[in-house]
Amino acid sequence: MPIKTDTREYRDMIMRVSEENTDDMNVTGYASVFNHPYELYREGGYIVQEQVDAHAFDKCDMDDVIFQYDHSGRVFARTANKTLTVMPDDHGLLINARLGGTTIGKQLYEEIKGGYTSKMSFGFVVTKDTWTETKNEDGTVVELRTIEEVGKLYDVSAVSIPANDATSISVRSISDGVIEKAKAERLKALKAERAKKLLALKIKMIEEN
């Protein structure tokens, strides 16, 4: 069930103060971890998971990614002036931002260092994904979305909301799109299977009569 969309999506990540080059006030974090399924949605015996392929960012446009606060307002760092680096490695998409260039950047660094802000979110567009369905031993159906290609990375942002709330908001932000499409496809498949069984029953009844 491939989905192609230009809708911007958001995911949360953890950031931390780097212990190296403290004069530059560096913060680091992983915007994405490769080939590691994480849960997006769960209801009864139905689960939707997602994972990011290790080559998802190979063709991604990351020419001018910006570092913001809550995805809006002032820019604290950006790839265009080399105060922000975004680079895939063996583990995932590594982010490093130097916040020492502006007064408000230094203030944000101190907030991160003090633990007042510890979460980040990044905005991106998926241009290619695939879906697979499996069933657990207890009958739970698991839909796994694999993001195979990210077309554009827009921003990485420090966010003000607590970690638990960030997680729930991240899930809600994509549920209107990805999750609803997954549900619709599953419902369509179930209806087709029921129609097939009903037809087979009718044929059997005719043959018996």
Side-chain angles (χ1 to χ4, degrees):
M1 187 174 58
I3 296 174
K4 293 185 179 181
T5 178
D6 59 359
T7 302
R8 194 176 304 192
E9 301 182 27
Y10 297 91
R11 299 293 185 277
D12 296 316
M13 62 181 179
I14 301 293
M15 64 179 172
R16 61 180 175 83
V17 170
S18 174
E19 295 180 358
E20 299 179 0
N21 300 321
T22 54
D23 291 341
D24 289 332
M25 297 188 171
N26 286 8
V27 294
T28 62
Y30 276 96
S32 175
V33 178
F34 298 144
N35 299 317
H36 182 74
Y38 44 89
E39 188 173 302
L40 297 178
Y41 177 83
R42 178 187 291 263
E43 182 179 359
Y46 182 58
I47 299 173
V48 177
Q49 295 180 335
E50 183 179 80
Q51 67 179 357
V52 180
D53 186 83
H55 298 285
F57 292 93
D58 286 357
K59 299 179 181 179
C60 181
D61 179 4
M62 296 187 286
D63 288 340
D64 192 15
V65 182
I66 59 177
F67 187 106
Q68 292 181 292
Y69 190 82
D70 281 344
H71 301 288
S72 62
R74 296 286 297 275
V75 175
F76 296 94
R78 70 192 312 155
T79 55
N81 69 356
K82 303 186 186 306
T83 55
L84 174 67
T85 58
V86 185
M87 182 178 298
D89 62 15
D90 292 338
H91 182 68
L93 188 65
L94 181 63
I95 303 295
N96 182 279
R98 290 186 285 135
L99 304 181
T102 64
T103 300
I104 57 173
K106 293 176 183 179
Q107 180 180 342
L108 178 59
Y109 173 84
E110 293 299 331
E111 292 177 3
I112 296 170
K113 184 178 180 180
Y116 298 100
T117 301
S118 62
K119 293 286 289 186
M120 294 185 73
S121 176
F122 69 109
F124 63 103
V125 167
V126 175
T127 51
K128 183 181 180 182
D129 60 3
T130 57
W131 289 78
T132 57
E133 180 181 307
T134 58
K135 184 176 291 187
N136 294 338
E137 293 181 358
D138 62 359
T140 300
V141 175
V142 180
E143 296 267 12
L144 175 63
R145 181 197 193 196
T146 300
I147 296 176
E148 296 183 338
E149 186 175 289
V150 176
K152 174 68 177 176
L153 180 64
Y154 289 95
D155 71 276
V156 292
S157 291
V159 292
S160 56
I161 47 181
N164 290 340
D165 290 343
T167 301
S168 61
I169 288 174
S170 175
V171 170
R172 286 199 296 272
S173 70
I174 62 171
S175 63
D176 292 340
V178 173
I179 303 301
E180 292 306 317
K181 287 182 179 180
K183 282 183 171 182
E185 288 294 328
R186 174 158 173 74
L187 181 59
K188 181 179 178 181
L190 288 173
K191 287 182 177 179
E193 182 65 23
R194 288 170 184 167
K196 182 179 179 181
K197 289 181 179 179
L198 181 59
L199 178 59
L201 179 59
K202 288 181 178 179
I203 293 175
K204 181 180 179 181
M205 291 175 64
I206 293 174
E207 290 177 346
E208 290 178 349
N209 292 333

